[in-house]
Amino acid sequence: MTTALPDLPEGYYLDNFRRLLDTVVDRYDDLLSPDDRDFVKRFRALNQAPARLLVRLYTRKGPFFRRDKLNYPEIPDLDAALTDLAQSGLVDLSPELTAGELARLLTLAELRRLDWLPDRKAAKAVLLEMLDEWPDVQPASDWQVDIPILLPRHWLTLRRLQLMYFGNEYQSLTDFVLSDLGLFQYEPYSLDRRQRRFNTALEIDQQLALNDLKAEYYQAQENGDRDTLLQLAGDLLRDDWCESIRDRLDRLRNRVGFRLEQWGELDTALALFQTNDQPPARERRCRIDYKAGRYQIAWDTLQQLRDRPRDATEIRFGQRFMPRLARKLSQPVDPDPVHAPIEHRACWPRGNGSVEQLACEHLPDSVWLENLLPLGVFGLIHWDLVFREVPGAFHHPFQQGPADLHDPDFLNRRGTSPQRLYRELTARDARDRIRRHWSAKFGRFNPFVHWAALDETLVLRCFDTVPWEHWVAIFHHLWLDLRRHRAGFPDLFQFRPGQDAGYRFIEIKGPGDRLQDNQRDWLAVFSEAGIPAEVWYVDYA
DNA sequence: ATCGAATTCG
DNA sequence: TTCACACACTCAG
DNA sequence: GAGTGTGTGTCTCGAATTCGATAC
Ligand SMILES: [Mn+2]
């Protein structure tokens, strides 16, 4: 099915960029760096053609470009535009670059014509790796390449502008386009101009720095690069990070800590885990102290964790670790009751698809949707709450959800709580909301509703089948930690008219597969709430 | 010749 | 903003 | 039970283009 896309006006991308720039200057004038200001001044002085060209470049990857790869019918005199950009100081027409940077601009054939190439036979990837070691920086002509190369000078400012506008670094000007084309539909909330996403220049710099560290982390862990990781840990352990990026910072600290723990750097890992209480920090602290024989310290941490568990992983850890640690300290143990899930065995001939699909075919009237079904019901019922316009929730028109969705006080800030929510909401109203939102909001982004996976009949039937108290129990658990509790839901939902509860959740396990922790966590919730859930172990006939 | 990854565009 | 899950293996008790 | 490491499908658009790797 192909639907015709609407035409965009010529130069639409420049309009979009100006919208972004004007918004940022309007909101964050006091937070702009000298470079940012310099850029704004120069850019606003440009004529249309050079301005268009620059924005074209900014929507591409770069950072260097070959002149002969630029071709825009709506900018007829490209060279004149380039000259303007060079005179404005926005583009460097003879930038110095490393051999690696240059090589990325050339095809393999072009590359092999160069005298200084160390290996004429090598594959391009190998060549790039070699050339990346070369420190020399010089203009392309000095590398004996006569293709004109250019470099926009303000990439960092572009990064900062986009960060200020979107509040993140994964959205960009394409979000304007996709929205205009109707490919991405966003809830039309009104924007909040009272509370800004950033309040100091330092926050912006630190968020950029944190994103860099994150990228470095992925790189380092992929390469098994311990030294880089240790150095990274040093940066993360500094105490001059802003409070406003605390959450993101702690998550990275824990990730780096976890990897360092695996690599045997226990001291550094422990230091990282000691900076915060975000799961799994306290669990890891306990385990590291336990292994080091510091049982009393581990015990103290464990008590705090059990007193006030942050999420299901901490509850589970507390239950399992308590007896072990108590034995070491000769403390009396009173093990928590453990819910044993209902288990079944089945033996079916192997099919073409996955074991879940096979089970879905054998179990009548079942669907394989994992968490998409409960999350979809959750999202449809709570649509208005999620998109309620409270200060600080919506900063730009392209958000899938409110900025503070994952903050622990999300509900509090909206003047409610899980208890209050479901005291005031009846099953009839909830059903009505699902129907209303399905037709009124269809296709719009929502952090919980994945439209393509669901259909209205199924969602309503499922809603009607599961008793409202069961939904409420599921929702309560979701609210405890929207980020961590959205995974681990059983594979299948089966309708069973007239039998038992009329439905059941089923987690399918193929040969050799076992329950994961977050799946256990949901099963514990189900067991607590009397929700029918089973684990089926499948063998192939 | 063919395939897939990366890039660009609207 | 990458992750969630299945699958496979080891080790200890 | 606990830990580690892999592979696989999501990569929330889809068409067009280019390039490199691989096989023949
Ligand atoms: Mn399963």
Side-chain angles (χ1 to χ4, degrees), chain A residues 355-356 368 370 490-491 506-510 513 519:
Chain A
V355 65
E356 291 87 354
W368 174 27
E370 296 182 351
D491 298 307
I506 304 175
E507 170 58 35
I508 300 299
K509 288 297 166 196
D513 191 17
Q519 295 172 335

Side-chain angles (χ1 to χ4, degrees), chain A residues 89-103:
Chain A
L90 291 165
V91 163
D92 186 347
L93 290 184
S94 52
E96 299 190 322
L97 67 182
T98 66
E101 288 165 339
L102 179 67

